[in-house]
């Protein structure tokens, strides 16, 4: 397009921004065409970035309706010249003052240009055959020139809207989880300062503005997820501890019952019974009780795996309960599922599983899948092919070797 700079008619002033918009409108490659309604949809989508109102969009829609072709093209001319009365009708009856204000907003946004006649009137001059030779009115060339830019802006807004929707959904689900977990913990009498946790939850909710953006919601959603994980870790630790205690009680009863049955079988009966022959097998045989593996001293575990102390309740570990609490945090951090961790506790005991997690933390950078590693150890332990002692001692020797090299 040949560059042609025009100035506004009457009292409207000229500006460098208006000149830049006119120059930008001339940057149209030869033969370029674009669907006028597709461009209009992109403008509607990108409206927040273009700083125009929905009423201005109604005016732009009216202007496009006066363009006879579906495709915007330089070959068919890009100037429309409706009167204010015609525009008012097609723009849903807005007043003349409102119409002029929104036309000015479209010009300022660089979506249309004015091509004013010497007397400011809008009209077209035609040749003898009725074809338009020249026209004065509103030039739609910026829509054709900026079609790719407007499409990019529309995609940007759509992506931001999708991100906002996903962030809101994530926060909504997290809020529901936290609210119901707190209620369940309080109703069932779980140990913990649930009043303080609920206060923290309510403080997060109170910071949400009525009309929130992604920038408002994202940090709140992240902190809410951290609160949810903290609650889950706390409840998981209690469940593991309770299950460990229940298993110990059950094993103790099993041992007592087995000992009682053995004593009864070995005691002589007051009534005379036929003596069994040497080669006669008794109908009942007592299977030997497999004793659970005893946990190593806590001091030994902390000597071999000092990093686990960083995940203790107060940045240190002073008891097996605190070690188990820290191991649940480490489990989540290393990506070990709750089912794999529980299976290990059922097989090897909660204390030994916590010790294994401390060892895995020490060499986490050398393990591709901590969850798969733990499941493998659990399977081997169930077959009687794994002992924690060599693993722990190897960790101690490795630390001693590093200490000697450093000195």
């Amino acid at each position: 397009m040949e560059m042609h700079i025009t100035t506004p008619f009457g009292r409207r002033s000229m500006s460098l921004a208006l000149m830049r918009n006119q120059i930008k409108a001339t940057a149209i490659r030869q033969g370029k065409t674009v669907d006028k309604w597709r461009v209009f949809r992109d403008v509607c989508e990108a409206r927040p970035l273009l700083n125009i109102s929905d009423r201005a969009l109604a005016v732009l829609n009216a202007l496009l309706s006066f363009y006879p072709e579906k495709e915007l093209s330089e070959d068919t001319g890009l100037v429309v010249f409706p009167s204010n009365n015609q525009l008012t009708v097609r723009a849903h009856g807005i007043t003349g003052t409102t119409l002029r204000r929104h036309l000015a907003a479209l010009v300022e946004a660089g979506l249309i240009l004015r091509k004013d006649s010497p007397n400011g009137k809008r009209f077209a001059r035609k040749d003898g055959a009725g074809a338009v030779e020249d026209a004065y009115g509103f030039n739609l060339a910026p829509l054709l020139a900026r079609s790719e830019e407007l499409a990019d802006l529309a995609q940007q807004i759509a992506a931001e809207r999708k991100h906002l929707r996903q962030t809101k959904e994530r926060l909504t689900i997290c809020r529901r989880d936290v609210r119901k977990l707190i209620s369940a913990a309080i109703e069932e009498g779980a140990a913990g300062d649930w009043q303080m946790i609920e206060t923290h939850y309510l403080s997060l909710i109170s910071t949400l503005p009525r009309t929130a953006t992604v920038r408002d919601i994202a940090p709140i959603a992240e902190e809410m997820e951290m609160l949810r994980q903290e609650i889950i870790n706390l409840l998981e630790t209690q469940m593991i501890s309770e299950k460990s205690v229940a298993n110990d009680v059950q094993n103790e009863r099993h041992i007592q019952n087995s000992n009682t049955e053995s004593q009864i079988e070995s005691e002589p009966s007051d009534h005379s019974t036929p003596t069994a022959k040497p080669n006669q097998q008794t109908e009942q045989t007592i299977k030997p009780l497999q004793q659970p593996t005893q946990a190593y001293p806590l001091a030994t575990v902390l000597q071999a795996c000092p990093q686990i102390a960083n995940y203790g309740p107060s940045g240190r570990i002073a008891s097996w309960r605190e070690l188990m609490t820290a191991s649940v945090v480490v489990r989540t951090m290393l990506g070990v599922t709750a089912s794999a961790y529980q299976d290990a506790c059922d097989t090897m005991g909660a204390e030994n599983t916590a010790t294994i997690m401390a060892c895995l933390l020490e060499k986490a950078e050398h393990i591709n899948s901590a969850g798969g590693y733990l499941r493998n150890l659990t399977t081997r332990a169930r077959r009687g092919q794994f002992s924690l002692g060599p693993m722990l001692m190897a960790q101690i020797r490795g630390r001693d070797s590093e200490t000697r090299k450093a000195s």
Side-chain angles (χ1 to χ4, degrees), residues 55 58-62 86-95 99:
R55 301 298 297 275
V59 174
L60 180 60
N61 179 80
Q86 291 173 318
L87 275 176
T88 297
V89 171
R90 296 199 187 183
H92 312 296
I94 62 176
T95 64
L99 175 66

Side-chain angles (χ1 to χ4, degrees), residues 212-265:
T213 64
V214 173
R215 191 171 300 178
D216 299 323
I217 297 176
I220 298 175
E222 184 177 351
E223 194 166 351
M224 188 70 73
E225 287 179 346
M226 292 174 61
L227 179 60
R228 175 177 61 180
Q229 194 58 53
E230 180 183 345
I231 294 172
I232 292 174
N233 291 341
L234 181 59
L235 294 176
E236 278 187 352
T237 301
Q238 293 186 37
M239 291 177 184
I240 292 171
S241 178
E242 291 171 0
K243 190 172 184 65
S244 177
V245 172
N247 289 340
D248 292 342
V249 172
Q250 185 177 1
N251 289 336
E252 183 178 355
R253 290 176 179 173
H254 188 188
I255 294 171
Q256 291 175 352
N257 293 338
S258 299
N259 290 339
T260 302
E261 292 173 1
S262 300
Q263 291 172 3
I264 291 174
E265 289 184 1

Side-chain angles (χ1 to χ4, degrees), residues 11-30:
R11 296 180 180 179
R12 292 191 297 267
S13 61
M14 182 64 179
S15 67
L16 294 182
L18 181 59
M19 182 175 176
R20 280 194 295 269
N21 289 339
Q22 291 186 30
I23 294 174
K24 188 183 297 185
T26 62
I28 302 175
R29 69 174 183 273
Q30 188 174 5

Side-chain angles (χ1 to χ4, degrees), residues 327-341 357 360 364 368-375:
S327 70
V328 173
V329 177
V330 171
R331 170 192 75 75
T332 304
M333 186 183 71
L334 295 182
V336 177
T337 63
S339 60
Y341 189 84
M357 292 306 302
L360 295 184
N368 293 329
S369 173
Y373 196 102
L374 181 62
R375 286 192 183 277

Side-chain angles (χ1 to χ4, degrees), residues 119-309:
N119 61 2
K121 302 293 184 180
R122 299 174 207 146
F123 64 90
R125 185 175 291 114
K126 300 180 180 180
D127 59 17
V132 176
E133 286 184 336
D134 199 5
Y136 297 95
F138 297 102
N139 192 344
L140 304 177
L143 295 176
L144 180 59
R146 299 179 61 189
S147 60
E148 293 86 0
E149 177 194 349
L150 294 171
D152 289 341
L153 293 177
Q155 291 178 4
Q156 180 181 337
I157 291 293
E160 291 177 358
R161 186 179 294 115
K162 179 181 179 181
H163 187 199
L164 176 60
R165 184 182 70 252
Q166 292 175 338
T167 306
K168 284 184 175 180
E169 290 174 352
R170 187 178 52 151
L171 177 60
T172 299
I173 293 173
C174 196
R175 285 179 60 178
R176 181 186 65 200
D177 291 347
V178 170
R179 178 67 272 173
K180 292 195 174 184
L181 285 171
I182 292 175
S183 298
I186 294 175
E187 290 173 3
E188 300 184 24
D193 192 352
W194 299 108
Q195 188 64 40
M196 182 192 71
I197 293 175
E198 186 172 27
T199 301
H200 184 195
Y201 164 76
L202 294 175
S203 68
L204 289 177
I205 297 302
S206 65
T207 58
L208 275 173
R210 184 178 296 274
T211 304
T213 64
V214 173
R215 191 171 300 178
D216 299 323
I217 297 176
I220 298 175
E222 184 177 351
E223 194 166 351
M224 188 70 73
E225 287 179 346
M226 292 174 61
L227 179 60
R228 175 177 61 180
Q229 194 58 53
E230 180 183 345
I231 294 172
I232 292 174
N233 291 341
L234 181 59
L235 294 176
E236 278 187 352
T237 301
Q238 293 186 37
M239 291 177 184
I240 292 171
S241 178
E242 291 171 0
K243 190 172 184 65
S244 177
V245 172
N247 289 340
D248 292 342
V249 172
Q250 185 177 1
N251 289 336
E252 183 178 355
R253 290 176 179 173
H254 188 188
I255 294 171
Q256 291 175 352
N257 293 338
S258 299
N259 290 339
T260 302
E261 292 173 1
S262 300
Q263 291 172 3
I264 291 174
E265 289 184 1
S266 63
E267 289 177 357
S269 174
D270 293 338
H271 304 284
S272 58
T273 56
T275 305
K277 296 181 180 180
N279 60 350
Q280 183 179 1
Q281 295 182 351
T282 59
E283 294 182 359
Q284 295 181 350
T285 58
I286 301 176
K287 296 181 180 180
L289 179 65
Q290 183 177 1
Q291 297 291 341
T293 306
Q294 296 297 322
Y296 284 79
L298 180 61
T300 302
V301 176
L302 297 178
Q303 178 189 354
C305 311
Q307 290 187 49
I308 192 72

